Amino acid sequence: MLSAASKEIVKATVPVLEEHGTEITSTFYKMMFAGHPELLNIFNKTNQKKGAQQTALATTVLAAAKHIDDLSVLLPHVKQIGHKHRALQIMPEHYPIVGHYLLKAISEVLGDAATPEIIKAWGEAYGEIADVFISVEKEMYDAAAWPGWKPFTVVEKEKVAEDVYQFTVKPDSDLVLPKVVPGQYITVNTHPTRDNNQNDALRHYSISSIDTSKGLKFAVRLETSPNNPAGLVSEFLHNEVHVGDTIKLSAPAGDFALNEDLVKQNEIPLVLLASGVGVTPLLSMLEYQVNNNPERPIVWIQSSRTEAKEAFTKHVTELLARAKNVKRYIIHTNVSKRIDDNFLKENVPSHADVYICGSLHFMESMIKYLQVLEHKDDMIHYEPFGPKMSTVEVGLKKN
């Protein structure tokens, strides 16, 4: 139990964390990987290079410090992180390692300012925070469709855009595939050898269909950027994994899901707003909605750089043909104006339930536009590709 004195010390460190949080977490990761290089088999090196993981951890630590009197305030965010941890197979035994190096990083960055009292208080606080995560994640492990990593065989590989493949995989064992929640993702465990890579490389990919009669379906875009090689895992899956090959998956995870209370009604429209391969989880949501209530008003908005990069065109057309009340907007940004607040004002009903997925910049822009239009926050849902805590403030600057 965290003492009152330790709580006060932790809260008093908030200004320091606001100033040095990312420096502390960057130092933490360097120290931890030096001491435990085997953890590089779990953590995404790309997110490390981009700084997303460091920002996410800094945000989490700062949030915990601000809400140390009542950590239950953070439970929705803990659950979001917990889904990723469970999918990556982060276990209770990893938490003491993290705690050890986090305290070392605080001492390293703050120097003499990191008094023994501060380190002791943060050690106690970390124990409380870790217990919350471990408890939440235990429930997720217990509820998972299968434990650990299971081998699956690729039974189909379909090109659904210029730079996107949809993979269909079946378990190698007698494992019964679970009912898929639209919006969930699976996690692929690979070991590419490009660039002398020595570690496993894990990536989350959204499930593209709730129909598992032929296997689990997920989509992978070839990650590229100017003057840089293609993404390590996406290139491996695109170029080296073929029908008949085996890959390892952990069970479906994620909290990006349709509001079930609204699926059967027809007063509140469903808006699905996608950019690029962000269409993938929204495709499964569309399938679910049409299967369960094709009468509900649906607004489908899909943006891509070019027509060739517009993913799942045929699949989307077939699903929308089954719906009774549809508005469909396709934007190719090489020839059309990008989606802005005026577009959303004209085409997104103010009382709609909105689901957004795409690049971080796209989602931040769409959310900002909708908030300016006074769209209710609890009617805006999104799924970033990466550490979600790097994209939220959890009220930190509003307290």
Side-chain angles (χ1 to χ4, degrees):
M1 185 73 177
L2 190 61
S3 69
S6 291
K7 285 183 180 180
E8 291 306 312
I9 291 173
V10 168
K11 286 188 286 186
T13 63
V14 166
V16 177
L17 292 176
E18 287 180 323
E19 182 178 356
H20 299 289
T22 303
E23 184 183 357
I24 289 171
T25 54
S26 297
T27 301
F28 154 76
Y29 280 114
K30 290 177 184 177
M31 288 180 166
M32 185 177 71
F33 292 143
H36 289 269
E38 74 278 4
L39 294 180
L40 288 167
N41 290 313
I42 297 176
F43 287 86
N44 187 323
K45 292 182 180 179
T46 300
N47 287 336
Q48 291 286 325
K49 290 178 181 178
K50 291 180 178 178
Q53 194 72 56
Q54 293 89 331
T55 300
L57 180 57
T59 303
T60 304
V61 171
L62 181 55
K66 286 204 169 187
H67 298 284
I68 197 66
D69 286 324
D70 182 13
L71 290 174
S72 66
V73 172
L74 300 180
L75 196 56
H77 301 286
V78 171
K79 288 181 177 179
Q80 291 166 356
I81 299 168
H83 280 290
K84 296 286 176 69
H85 283 183
R86 201 281 298 155
L88 296 169
Q89 302 301 298
I90 291 176
M91 299 294 182
E93 55 265 30
H94 292 130
Y95 280 90
I97 298 173
V98 170
H100 172 74
Y101 287 101
L102 183 60
L103 295 181
K104 284 190 69 173
I106 292 173
S107 296
E108 174 81 14
V109 173
L110 301 187
D112 292 341
T115 64
E117 291 77 16
I118 288 177
I119 297 302
K120 180 176 182 294
W122 262 105
E124 292 177 10
Y126 176 79
E128 295 268 322
I129 298 164
D131 285 346
V132 172
F133 275 92
I134 291 169
S135 175
V136 166
E137 288 162 17
K138 182 182 185 305
E139 294 180 6
M140 294 177 177
Y141 277 106
D142 290 344
W146 64 83
W149 302 101
K150 295 292 185 184
F152 281 70
T153 296
V154 178
V155 295
E156 187 176 339
K157 183 179 177 182
E158 177 189 6
K159 199 166 192 177
V160 294
E162 180 181 69
D163 55 353
V164 180
Y165 274 108
Q166 176 178 254
F167 291 82
T168 304
V169 297
K170 283 189 173 182
D172 287 359
S173 62
D174 57 359
L175 176 72
V176 177
L177 291 176
K179 180 180 178 181
V180 170
V181 176
Q184 283 188 315
Y185 54 84
I186 51 83
T187 304
V188 180
N189 185 336
T190 66
H191 196 104
T193 57
R194 196 190 80 193
D195 301 331
N196 296 315
N197 174 59
Q198 301 297 313
N199 300 108
D200 293 340
L202 317 182
R203 296 293 186 274
H204 307 301
Y205 294 110
S206 293
I207 298 171
S208 53
S209 176
I210 60 173
D211 181 4
T212 60
S213 59
K214 296 182 179 180
L216 273 176
K217 297 178 183 290
F218 63 92
V220 180
R221 179 174 75 90
L222 182 62
E223 298 289 342
T224 58
S225 58
N227 304 316
N228 284 314
L232 181 68
V233 176
S234 63
E235 182 186 56
F236 174 77
L237 291 171
H238 269 237
N239 297 339
E240 298 186 43
V241 175
H242 307 287
V243 172
D245 290 342
T246 299
I247 56 176
K248 294 185 291 185
L249 306 182
S250 65
D255 61 348
F256 185 50
L258 285 174
N259 184 339
E260 283 283 357
D261 293 336
L262 301 181
V263 170
K264 293 295 179 68
Q265 58 76 55
N266 298 322
E267 286 71 44
I268 298 176
L270 172 64
V271 174
L272 300 170
L273 176 54
S275 173
V277 77
V279 67
T280 309
L282 304 188
L283 183 68
S284 66
M285 290 181 176
L286 175 63
E287 181 183 7
Y288 186 85
Q289 180 63 59
V290 171
N291 285 355
N292 288 277
N293 178 17
E295 304 289 337
R296 183 183 183 186
I298 297 172
V299 179
W300 178 269
I301 306 171
Q302 185 175 356
S303 174
S304 58
R305 193 175 306 158
T306 65
E307 183 178 2
K309 292 183 182 295
E310 179 188 327
F312 291 107
T313 304
K314 178 174 177 289
H315 300 67
V316 171
T317 300
E318 291 172 349
L319 287 170
L320 290 178
R322 293 167 47 201
K324 308 301 181 184
N325 187 349
V326 172
K327 292 182 179 179
R328 183 183 188 181
Y329 302 96
I330 303 297
I331 296 94
H332 301 137
T333 58
N334 66 323
V335 294
S336 301
K337 184 180 178 182
R338 293 179 183 274
I339 299 171
D340 58 14
D341 52 346
N342 289 325
F343 177 93
L344 296 179
K345 183 177 182 179
E346 292 175 6
N347 300 303
V348 174
S350 60
H351 63 302
D353 201 28
V354 184
Y355 295 79
I356 309 169
C357 194
S359 70
L360 180 58
H361 174 72
F362 174 80
M363 288 186 296
E364 287 178 338
S365 298
M366 297 304 106
I367 292 168
K368 180 181 177 181
Y369 291 147
L370 289 169
Q371 289 173 336
V372 168
L373 295 171
E374 298 184 347
H375 206 92
K376 292 181 179 178
D377 285 346
D378 62 356
M379 301 291 273
I380 303 172
H381 318 273
Y382 70 100
E383 175 65 83
F385 295 118
K388 197 164 189 174
M389 285 299 285
S390 67
T391 69
V392 298
E393 292 183 358
V394 295
L396 297 180
K397 297 179 181 178
K398 298 176 184 177
N399 292 348

